[in-house]
Amino acid sequence: MAAATLPTIIQGGMGIGVSHWPLARAVSLRGQLGVVSGTALDAVFARRLQDGDVGGHLRRALSRFPVPGVAERLLERYFIDGGRLRGEPYRATPLPTLQPSAHQLELLIAANFVEVFLAKDGHEGLIGINYLRKIEPPTLPSLFGAMLAGVDVVLMGAGIPTTIPGTLDRLAQGLAVELPLEDQGGGTEARLHFDPQEFGASRGATLPPVARPDFYAIVSYDSLATMLCRKANGRIDGFIIEDYTAGGHNARPRGPMRLNERREPIFGPRDGADLAVFRQLGIPFWLAGTRAHPDRVREAIQAGAQGVQVGTAFAFCAESAMRGDLKQLVYDAVRSGRADVLTDPLASPAGLPFKVVQLDETLADQALFEARPRHCDLGYFRHAYAKGNGSIGWRCPAEPVDDYLQRGGRLEDTHGRKCLCNALIAAIGLGQHRNGHDEPPLVTAGQGLSEVARYIRADGQCYTAGEVIDDLLTGVPAACTND
Ligand SMILES: Cc1cc2nc3c(=O)[nH]c(=O)nc-3n(C[C@H](O)[C@H](O)[C@H](O)COP(=O)(O)O)c2cc1C
């Protein structure tokens, strides 16, 4: 991506599925960087097909998938004309694992292709895709699917993406790639593997050439950025510097974690990034975390940033996939001054602090959380552990406690863990229905949630992504925008 086209506003990737293609496309059409979430796209895609693919967009994109037979097989398995019957559970998608089946590979690659294809369809604007480093098994085929659709930027946070830049280089040359699993306490040194040529050849296809997207690392500390610059196995094209007020996952505070009276991690002045270090690195950077105000965009630019990355303000706009009833609950809370976001140190099975909007009827409600029987049927936060026999197993601290203990996990690691997979997919209206109940949703947003009040309309109608962008760019010098 040429420097002249660098965006001022990046609409942050928001999983699961909140920043789906219509949102990213709307942002991109305004000359800024729209980012689709790549997290759990296989499940999101399979469930949308089972809901009848309203509008036919997924089928339209699938028909352009460059490997013959894949579209037909996926449609055969998941598409339900007219959608599921009321109360019928979604058909399961395979759990992420070290060696994906042929079907799983096709689903992952096609789902990522379709999301990027639709976001980019019919215009020249830029589209990025966001992944979490801590969600490992789907990463390589997902990257390849997004690249097949011409994704412009890959953004990755929640972990240390040292080998991702080189992976993008190799995929762009059609070469096989590997990803070492991060050690998340399971004592494994396994590597994930993906060979694009093998994928194509075994299906009788010659794959089209793919371009190397830019790579932006999402970091909270300058020390991680300097380390990445030294150790990354390829080019880093940008940094998103995300502070602890941002929605979704946050980095842990430095040093031992101390909690306040609400049992939230205490962040202090040491838990920020030294921008002077980033200015010296000479790589474009964007600031993220409570930046949804034109003054804060201008401040960021004055501090040497290219612009800002914003999530929360986009999460509740018309084009986001967040359920309409949840958007309205949030609007009501914001309007009445009751919007409350808690930084929960335990909720995420990834072991990072996670922002949770305190709303009734969601998993933020302690009684509802305790009443929910634990299930692990999506499995994105499972991490690998070494089994006694030398093979690899997978476990998640939010899975049923007995299963976790049987898999060698520690009881204390299960406390307060919420099944983000099921709860976040429920927040975009794709929650599983089981035993007569719908999975309860969970909503994440940044500490600046109350600032969404700037955009909320008196008639309760949703504001648009375009309104947010117009507002954020107010008074920003034209030389800094691509509008
Ligand atoms: C609903 C929601 C989901 C998010 N999910 C992700 C995610 O999957 N990956 C990621 O890197 N960041 C995620 N974020 C963080 C955003 O990309 C962005 O950096 C952040 O929201 C910026 O701070 P703000 O919330 O104060 O605008 C999420 C944020 C929100 C509000």
Side-chain angles (χ1 to χ4, degrees), residues 5 23 38 79 86 118 125 163 188 217 328 367 372 401:
T5 63
L23 172 57
F79 177 62
R86 234 179 116 85
L118 290 172
T163 64
T188 54
Q328 291 301 328
R372 176 189 177 271
V401 173

Side-chain angles (χ1 to χ4, degrees), residues 294-458:
D295 290 349
R296 260 158 262 146
V297 179
R298 286 195 300 268
E299 276 162 29
I301 292 169
Q302 273 155 18
Q306 197 69 43
V308 300
Q309 171 167 291
V310 170
T312 299
F314 289 114
F316 303 100
C317 76
E319 295 90 341
S320 103
M322 182 82 71
R323 257 167 45 185
D325 60 325
L326 296 172
K327 285 181 194 168
Q328 291 301 328
L329 281 178
V330 166
Y331 292 174
D332 291 347
V334 167
R335 266 196 297 236
S336 61
R338 287 181 292 106
D340 183 15
V341 177
L342 187 100
T343 308
D344 190 329
L346 298 177
S348 173
L352 296 170
F354 189 73
K355 292 271 192 290
V356 178
V357 185
Q358 303 299 291
L359 292 174
D360 293 340
E361 318 273 320
T362 70
L363 222 50
D365 178 329
Q366 189 62 14
L368 206 66
F369 166 60
E370 282 166 16
R372 176 189 177 271
R374 287 181 169 221
H375 302 279
C376 187
D377 52 0
L378 288 169
Y380 295 101
F381 286 102
R382 296 191 314 166
H383 47 255
Y385 69 96
K387 286 178 159 180
N389 61 8
S391 65
I392 284 180
W394 296 86
R395 66 186 181 215
C396 173
E399 71 186 354
V401 173
D402 288 346
D403 292 351
Y404 189 69
L405 299 182
Q406 256 173 27
R407 295 179 175 129
R410 297 181 313 172
L411 182 62
E412 57 268 37
D413 291 341
T414 66
H415 294 157
R417 300 291 187 207
K418 297 191 160 77
C419 179
L420 292 194
C421 295
N422 274 293
L424 293 179
I425 206 167
I428 57 164
L430 298 177
Q432 186 57 294
H433 182 86
R434 57 179 117 237
N435 308 325
H437 296 285
D438 288 323
E439 280 283 355
L442 190 74
V443 178
T444 179
Q447 217 158 284
L449 176 60
S450 53
E451 295 190 5
V452 165
R454 297 167 58 69
Y455 305 118
I456 297 178
R457 298 183 185 165

Side-chain angles (χ1 to χ4, degrees), residues 11-16 18 37 39 130-132 155-158 218 240 242-243 245-249 288-292 309-313 315-316 322 354 443-448:
Q11 160 260 307
M14 294 180 282
I16 291 176
V18 172
S37 166
T39 302
N130 174 286
Y131 299 103
L132 302 184
L155 303 93
M156 189 178 277
I218 304 170
I240 312 293
E242 196 185 63
D243 74 20
T245 66
H249 286 96
T290 325
R291 289 275 161 189
Q309 171 167 291
V310 170
T312 299
F316 303 100
M322 182 82 71
F354 189 73
V443 178
T444 179
Q447 217 158 284

Side-chain angles (χ1 to χ4, degrees), residues 174-197:
L175 300 173
V177 286
E178 286 196 334
L179 181 67
L181 293 179
E182 272 191 354
D183 184 3
Q184 298 187 47
T188 54
E189 284 181 5
R191 304 170 88 81
L192 297 153
H193 175 85
F194 173 71
D195 184 347
Q197 297 305 333

